Amino acid sequence: MAHLSTVLIPLAAMLGAGLFAGFAAGIFGIGGGFVVVPALFVVLPLLGGTPEAIAHVAIGTSAATIIVTSIRSLLAHAKRGAVEFEILRAWAPWIVVGDGIGVLLAGRVDGHVLTMIFAVGVFLMSLNFLLPKIGGKVISQDMPSGVARMGIAGGLGTFSALLGIGGGTIAIMVMTLCGRSIHRAIATASGIGTLIAIPSAIGFAIIGLKEGGLPWGSLGYVNIPAVIAISCMSIITAPWGVAAAHSLPAPLLKRVFGVYLIFIAFVMFRNALKM
């Protein structure tokens, strides 16, 4: 019975995280990492492994789940004609380069620092959901190009790889400042999550292959059972989130999610201080 509970408890937690992550990905244009990473910090110790490895495995596993979640969300948004694929094509090379830098940096950072980076990143992202838009300003009708595009897209890839997130929040802020509607920004950000997640997941799996003390079922810094459980659920709920994003004005939902991020930032700060 005890052995059964050690399997059922983490499984239930991962399935729940997948349901929430899929809906969040659809409605907010994010990859779901803000939901998945904190859940994995709770679940992965139940699968064994050292505390030092947990942060890396949580972020690597989150990146792998975002592949499925963001593709499912992207396809649902594309059916509504809301995705600007030309932006994805233009940003892709720089995002992938930044992504690789982020993975290499993560491999050289210990678990304590990585947890603290995640906490700070979550807190900063919460401000986008909690603070009202500054007069709804649009600073340009054109997306960044040249050096500006390289810097923003590359930085987005680096930051997202370090946190195990899809980068949707930053992408949405940039697109809305450049005259895109919130619905088109959310839809396109789903594709940016895919561009970030694929190289991130591969990179975390590779850099963790020779590491010891990993939780059961891990391939490098990617935990396969967690990826399967979370992805199965997110496939179901991502279209629900997309439908909500296109049918509802979501200021209340944004604020609720912002409060959730503040809570997660607090929990992760506590985890970092305990490590």
Side-chain angles (χ1 to χ4, degrees):
M1 184 64 68
H3 175 70
L4 186 61
S5 66
T6 60
V7 174
L8 292 179
I9 291 174
L11 177 61
M14 289 186 287
L15 293 174
L19 288 171
F20 191 12
F23 186 80
I27 195 167
F28 295 120
I30 63 175
F34 288 141
V35 176
V36 172
V37 173
L40 290 173
F41 265 86
V42 175
V43 172
L44 289 174
L46 301 177
L47 300 178
T50 62
E52 293 77 15
I54 294 301
H56 291 84
V57 177
I59 289 175
T61 302
S62 173
T65 66
I66 289 171
I67 297 173
V68 177
T69 304
S70 59
I71 289 176
R72 186 72 177 94
S73 180
L74 176 68
L75 293 175
H77 280 295
K79 286 183 178 179
R80 298 170 182 266
V83 179
E84 297 197 26
F85 285 101
E86 62 273 17
I87 292 177
L88 297 180
R89 285 191 290 269
W91 283 43
W94 307 116
I95 287 175
V96 172
V97 170
D99 217 9
I101 295 171
V103 171
L104 291 175
L105 288 175
R108 298 174 182 273
V109 174
D110 68 32
H112 172 271
V113 175
L114 204 55
T115 305
M116 189 63 76
I117 290 172
F118 185 87
V120 172
V122 169
F123 175 76
L124 293 176
M125 292 301 101
S126 74
L127 300 180
N128 179 66
F129 291 93
L130 290 173
L131 298 181
K133 301 292 183 184
I134 302 174
K137 284 188 177 180
V138 174
I139 62 174
S140 172
Q141 291 298 327
D142 299 314
M143 290 293 290
S145 59
V147 175
R149 176 196 293 161
M150 181 175 62
I152 294 172
L156 171 62
T158 300
F159 185 67
S160 300
L162 275 172
L163 300 187
I165 62 173
T169 303
I170 301 171
I172 290 167
M173 291 170 63
V174 172
M175 291 183 66
T176 53
L177 285 172
C178 294
R180 268 57 177 185
S181 71
I182 186 64
H183 293 94
R184 295 189 74 81
I186 287 173
T188 306
S190 298
I192 288 175
T194 307
L195 293 173
I196 289 170
I198 292 174
S200 285
I202 294 171
F204 272 98
I206 292 172
I207 65 173
L209 283 176
K210 295 182 180 179
E211 298 296 323
L214 301 176
W216 174 83
S218 296
L219 175 64
Y221 287 136
V222 175
N223 187 266
I224 303 303
V227 172
I228 294 172
I230 293 170
S231 298
C232 286
M233 293 295 100
S234 66
I235 287 174
I236 297 172
T237 54
W240 300 352
V242 170
H246 285 274
S247 63
L248 298 173
L252 177 60
L253 286 172
K254 284 188 175 183
R255 284 173 174 76
V256 169
F257 194 67
V259 171
Y260 165 79
L261 293 182
I262 291 286
F263 170 73
I264 291 302
F266 173 74
V267 171
M268 300 304 284
F269 273 124
R270 286 191 60 189
N271 286 343
L273 294 175
K274 287 180 181 179
M275 292 176 74

